[in-house]
Amino acid sequence: MMKELCILLALVGETLCLGAATDDKMDSFVSSLMKKMTLREKIGQLNLQPAGNITTGGAMDTEVGGLVMKGELGAILNQTGKDEIRAIQEVAVKRSRLGIPLLVGLDVIHGYKTILPIPLAQACSWDIPAIEGGARIAAEECSSDGISWTYSPMVDIALDARWGRIMEGSGEDPYLGSLIAAALVRGYQGDFKERHNIMACLKHYALYGAAEAGRDYNTVDMSRWRMFNQYMPPYEAAVRAGVGSVMTSFNIVDGQHATANPWLLQEVLRRKWGFEGFVVTDYASITEMTSWGFGSQKENGIKALKAGTDMDMCAQAFLHHCEAAVSEGLLTEQDIDQACRRVLEAKYKLGLFKDPYKHCDMSDKEQAQHIFTPEHRRAARDLAAETFVLLKNDGGVLPLKKQGKVALIGPNADTTDGLLGSWCVVRPQRDAYPSLLGAMKEYLQGQAEMLYAQGCNLTDDERQDKAGFANAPYRTVPRVDSHQALAEAMQVAAQADVIVYAGGEGAEWSGESHSRADLSLPECQKKLLAALQSLGKPLVMLNFSGRPTAMGWEKEHLPVLMNVWFGGTETGPALCDVLFGDKSPSGHLTVSLPQTTGQEPLYYNHLNTGRPVRDDDDTFRQYQSNYFEVSNGPAFPFGFGLTYTTFRYGEMKVEQDGRNVTASVSVSNTGESEAAEVVQCYIRDVACRYARPVRELKGFERITLRPGQTQTVSIRLTEQELGSYDAEGNLFFEPGEFDIMMGGNSRDVQTKRITVK
Ligand code: BGC
């Protein structure tokens, strides 16, 4: 009776303060709730655990159910299914003393059931509204299935393509990364008022993308000047966009673990950027701190909480040690209160006190109107089509004609799972969406004949193959006998008018714990491609990848090359749209594609050094900053992407109004197809008290032009864009000379030097 009264009071309290959820109302609601809580219950709110396998009948009897009933769990992760989630939420609301609802988290990284292109691919669209729309779709789908909190956006800048998690971010540029970070936050969270708004979680704070040698979970160390200029802007942008939660990273920053780093969590995140949400650790980070050599779990739990971490994912360090730490005087009750308040506020903002079941109360019929719907799949198809980056199109082979015999060959040609990429915790049934082969057959029905052969394995290297699929839900591509498969492919190709090769990486070769030391195409694929090419027929290579592939060989040997990443459930139809010219390709790289792995980390916005060599200079120069074997530049530069038409850039104009600079250029479509161009603006600060990169993206516009159409693009630059950060993270502007550049990629630009006083 007592318990039910308390639930009622909590809910009535909320109902009374519904109106506008002002901060004051939230404060008083949370304060009055916290007055009722024991220290143990407050600590319970800071505990986040995997749900295990909740069933609708037995939620109470699970380990997690036990914790929930005792008020020792504030949030769960990795549970899917609205009915199961409702079952555990009911335990929290009806069976725990105060009835505080759980926060239900999941890694919804690029879609829920409608799988969108991997985030790195999405970035290559440079289409910020479409990316925001994608996050809205993901939120609508997962919030219709019980999820209220996603561990996204991942905004780690990654400069080293060996790191498998480069696929989860937006690439190497902090400016573009910041725009995307903010867009994703807006897409997920909205204003928290709609039913489908969920809480976003910015991760991994901070610098996880700088793991040494691209090896996952490895050491990170860099100057504060570098972090503020190259790595921090997307985190800051997400915070300023109002992200509700932040996840710490697995790495150290300045020699201290990111999870117990007061400078990162208090000084920068809260004081400098004004973050008001709660901070959660990454998976068992507090436990891992012992392996790093930071002491016992108890010590690390205390350090983490004191530093500003509010919620403990999977280590149970807070639950096991905080109470004792308070009685021993190692923590104060205020330390616990502060963290508990932040977690309760998040639940309040999400409206969970008002309706704990808001994300898990739909009927199956109603749910079906929100998940994997034709509208969502259409949007995913449109977005996917914008992510493919056409790198070479010698002889104008693309677009293909919808006639004759088309041979589709390669390990990624007839896989459905293999189109999705890493991080799809929930995915549709395999037969609910087509493979590329399935999509092409349907698309070309009655117009052209489709032929198919797998042709080869993704790799013949068994160690790599085993590792690649180590924690995949299932094998995405069957293993075949190499000799036989090659012979079959040649037979098939011999009958064809045109050959489309679908290869590259396996969908599970990138993502967490998937670092690679060799970024080139596996030998067996090169062998097949060379054999196919010897037939002298038009050959199109589609490179599937979750990271930049080392493209030296492909660039030299293959006439037609398109990087297609992993495009999600609608990859097949989207590729048909682009291959056969219903749409023109419009993706532009947001990562540099190296010539060879040894160039990594490779990024366009590097410093000049005191001994610079031009990116395209092939001659080895003694005592200059270069390599024996290759020039410094990438195979394909940041910002690069071809299409089916040609664009002519007029002469760039640069106007100044005090310290405000406007760069303008007219762009004309001089070809025969409608197509989009990403007009990019870069700057270089020629002389400054801190070193500045040779090029920094500071603005862009994605425009679509019909044949013959001309449009002028103007980019406005202020002190903010012209300035940079000092070692304390303060933006400063230094008058002087600047190079202003505009063009269709970071290499081919027009430049004007100006003086800004
Ligand atoms: C990853 C996070 C993820 C978490 C929860 C960790 O291993 O680093 O990005 O959100 O697991 O699944």
Side-chain angles (χ1 to χ4, degrees):
M1 185 61 205
M2 187 57 204
K3 181 180 57 200
E4 258 134 47
L5 195 68
C6 287
I7 299 165
L8 206 70
L9 281 177
L11 293 178
V12 169
E14 168 60 15
T15 317
L16 290 177
C17 58
L18 274 184
T22 61
D23 283 359
D24 282 355
K25 283 176 180 160
M26 178 167 79
D27 275 358
S28 66
F29 175 81
V30 171
S31 299
S32 70
L33 178 56
M34 282 179 60
K35 277 195 197 117
K36 301 182 202 118
M37 295 173 78
T38 63
L39 179 61
R40 185 90 191 144
E41 284 167 334
K42 289 176 189 167
I43 294 167
Q45 287 302 306
L46 316 184
N47 190 23
L48 165 64
Q49 284 293 304
N53 261 330
I54 303 288
T55 54
T56 45
M60 238 162 59
D61 306 325
T62 58
E63 198 186 325
V64 157
L67 288 172
V68 173
M69 281 192 284
K70 285 188 277 174
E72 293 183 348
L73 198 65
I76 55 167
L77 79 156
N78 290 352
Q79 178 66 51
T80 57
K82 65 178 170 52
D83 299 333
E84 292 77 7
I85 289 171
R86 178 160 186 130
I88 190 72
Q89 193 68 294
E90 280 186 5
V91 177
V93 173
K94 296 184 181 163
R95 305 266 170 186
S96 73
R97 196 177 72 89
L98 292 172
I100 301 173
L102 293 164
L103 206 53
V104 181
L106 190 76
D107 292 279
V108 182
I109 306 297
H110 52 114
Y112 189 66
K113 234 179 199 165
T114 304
I115 304 294
L116 304 160
I118 58 168
L120 180 60
Q122 290 189 38
C124 292
S125 74
W126 300 59
D127 188 341
I128 306 297
I131 293 171
E132 183 174 336
R136 236 183 341 263
I137 288 173
E140 180 181 337
E141 294 202 357
C142 74
S143 65
S144 304
D145 204 25
I147 308 299
S148 41
W149 182 30
T150 179
Y151 304 127
S152 174
M154 185 281 213
V155 306
D156 303 325
I157 294 293
L159 308 183
D160 193 327
R162 290 172 291 181
W163 194 51
R165 302 197 78 167
I166 196 170
M167 58 77 57
E168 285 178 64
S170 58
E172 68 196 34
D173 186 69
Y175 173 81
L176 180 63
S178 300
L179 296 183
I180 292 176
L184 290 171
V185 171
R186 290 193 302 269
Y188 291 129
Q189 295 190 166
D191 56 5
F192 285 128
K193 294 206 175 90
E194 304 292 325
R195 180 181 194 172
H196 295 298
N197 294 158
I198 59 171
M199 186 155 286
C201 185
L202 168 68
K203 71 188 189 186
H204 305 83
Y205 185 65
L207 317 179
Y208 184 20
E212 275 179 8
R215 182 154 57 77
D216 213 356
Y217 318 120
N218 203 8
T219 303
V220 171
D221 193 21
M222 71 175 75
S223 70
R224 290 189 177 178
W225 159 77
R226 187 172 198 196
M227 59 177 101
F228 279 118
N229 283 288
Q230 221 167 356
Y231 289 84
M232 291 300 211
Y235 303 117
E236 179 176 358
V239 169
R240 301 220 184 262
V243 73
S245 65
V246 169
M247 187 186 293
T248 64
S249 54
F250 285 130
N251 51 277
I252 57 163
V253 172
D254 277 348
Q256 288 186 310
H257 201 282
T259 303
N261 191 314
W263 179 76
L264 273 185
L265 298 177
Q266 292 168 33
E267 192 58 37
V268 181
L269 184 65
R270 293 196 187 273
R271 278 187 217 119
K272 212 177 224 339
W273 300 342
F275 178 63
E276 288 182 343
F278 75 97
V279 173
V280 61
T281 73
D282 201 346
Y283 209 102
S285 283
I286 297 179
T287 307
E288 290 183 12
M289 286 178 68
T290 304
S291 301
W292 275 104
F294 292 115
S296 70
Q297 193 179 56
K298 179 172 175 185
E299 287 165 329
N300 291 327
I302 294 168
K303 270 188 267 181
L305 194 91
K306 279 263 181 220
T309 290
D310 304 303
M311 188 184 271
D312 169 5
M313 187 197 287
C314 299
Q316 300 223 37
F318 288 177
L319 189 70
H320 292 149
H321 303 296
C322 280
E323 222 175 349
V326 171
S327 58
E328 290 158 21
L330 300 169
L331 282 175
T332 63
E333 200 159 344
Q334 287 73 28
D335 294 328
I336 309 287
D337 280 358
Q338 175 177 275
C340 176
R341 173 174 290 279
R342 290 175 183 151
V343 172
L344 294 175
E345 283 177 357
K347 295 180 179 186
Y348 184 99
K349 284 182 203 153
L350 276 166
L352 292 176
F353 287 108
K354 181 181 154 201
D355 179 4
Y357 308 116
K358 65 184 283 195
H359 294 143
C360 52
D361 65 351
M362 282 186 188
S363 67
D364 291 350
K365 204 168 150 210
E366 198 187 343
Q367 189 192 46
Q369 289 161 13
H370 296 282
I371 298 183
F372 204 53
T373 62
E375 297 75 41
H376 290 179
R377 296 185 65 188
R378 182 78 236 175
R381 176 174 177 168
D382 289 343
L383 179 54
E386 292 184 354
T387 66
F388 308 139
V389 185
L390 182 62
L391 299 170
K392 272 184 86 178
N393 192 17
D394 290 357
V397 168
L398 289 179
L400 301 175
K401 298 193 182 62
K402 298 175 197 171
Q403 64 185 44
K405 288 185 181 170
V406 181
L408 180 63
I409 293 176
N412 284 329
D414 194 21
T415 167
T416 47
D417 311 317
L419 302 175
L420 304 186
S422 185
W423 282 117
C424 307
V425 181
V426 174
R427 47 177 78 204
Q429 297 291 333
R430 281 179 185 174
D431 56 5
Y433 63 99
S435 67
L436 176 56
L437 178 64
M440 272 171 107
K441 277 186 180 158
E442 190 177 326
Y443 187 88
L444 293 175
Q445 216 171 23
Q447 301 178 79
E449 191 183 331
M450 281 300 304
L451 309 169
Y452 164 74
Q454 179 172 328
C456 64
N457 290 309
L458 281 166
T459 173
D460 280 344
D461 174 343
E462 280 178 26
R463 182 189 148 108
Q464 190 193 336
D465 183 71
K466 201 161 151 233
F469 291 114
N471 50 10
Y474 20 69
R475 256 204 101 79
T476 54
V477 176
R479 246 187 124 58
V480 289
D481 175 86
S482 303
H483 294 294
Q484 205 183 324
L486 180 71
E488 276 167 20
M490 295 309 286
Q491 254 179 16
V492 164
Q495 304 160 46
D497 300 310
V498 53
I499 306 164
V500 178
Y501 177 83
E505 289 195 316
E508 296 294 338
W509 290 13
S510 53
E512 186 175 352
S513 177
H514 283 77
S515 298
R516 295 185 63 199
D518 181 356
L519 303 178
S520 57
L521 192 68
E523 284 308 318
C524 60
Q525 294 196 46
K526 285 187 190 165
K527 191 172 154 192
L528 173 58
L529 276 162
L532 292 172
Q533 221 190 336
S534 70
L535 299 174
K537 303 186 178 193
L539 170 66
V540 177
M541 153 88 170
L542 303 178
N543 189 53
F544 288 74
S545 70
R547 57 158 64 74
T549 304
M551 284 281 187
W553 183 87
E554 289 84 338
K555 187 179 177 187
E556 196 182 328
H557 292 98
L558 302 175
V560 186
L561 191 53
M562 187 150 75
N563 216 79
V564 300
W565 317 106
F566 292 102
T569 45
E570 311 314 312
T571 303
L575 269 172
C576 292
D577 292 339
V578 172
L579 285 173
F580 294 96
D582 288 349
K583 290 179 182 165
S584 300
S586 60
H588 286 249
L589 296 172
T590 61
V591 276
S592 307
L593 302 188
Q595 303 178 66
T596 184
T597 309
Q599 292 180 296
E600 294 292 322
L602 181 70
Y603 47 97
Y604 85 96
N605 47 356
H606 59 81
L607 301 175
N608 203 35
T609 81
R611 298 184 178 201
V613 172
R614 281 175 55 107
D615 270 2
D616 57 358
D617 188 342
D618 260 339
T619 319
F620 173 72
R621 295 184 190 277
Q622 191 86 21
Y623 301 121
Q624 300 297 310
S625 181
N626 59 176
Y627 299 105
F628 278 168
E629 299 89 346
V630 285
S631 58
N632 286 347
F636 298 99
F638 179 89
F640 184 79
L642 301 171
T643 185
Y644 299 155
T645 193
T646 41
F647 294 110
R648 193 184 58 233
Y649 279 68
E651 197 191 327
M652 175 179 68
K653 293 200 181 70
V654 180
E655 283 163 343
Q656 288 179 248
D657 171 15
R659 287 180 173 175
N660 296 327
V661 176
T662 305
S664 311
V665 73
S666 70
V667 183
S668 311
N669 183 341
T670 48
E672 269 147 40
S673 318
E674 177 171 309
E677 169 71 326
V678 179
V679 183
Q680 301 155 43
C681 177
Y682 297 86
I683 66 147
R684 176 174 182 182
D685 187 344
V686 180
C688 181
R689 68 177 188 272
Y690 280 93
R692 298 286 299 263
V694 294
R695 255 166 255 115
E696 297 174 64
L697 180 74
K698 291 296 176 180
F700 66 89
E701 200 176 323
R702 190 181 196 282
I703 55 170
T704 303
L705 298 178
R706 292 185 307 277
Q709 197 186 350
T710 297
Q711 190 176 324
T712 297
V713 171
S714 295
I715 305 286
R716 195 176 142 83
L717 307 164
T718 66
E719 276 180 53
Q720 182 168 338
E721 284 80 30
L722 298 173
S724 70
Y725 291 94
D726 65 17
E728 278 75 53
N730 299 316
L731 193 68
F732 71 97
F733 167 80
E734 213 176 85
E737 287 185 322
F738 290 84
D739 284 340
I740 310 294
M741 296 163 251
M742 282 183 100
N745 65 68
S746 62
R747 183 190 60 201
D748 306 311
V749 290
Q750 308 180 45
T751 306
K752 278 214 166 110
R753 181 159 293 185
I754 58 166
T755 303
V756 184
K757 295 193 182 119

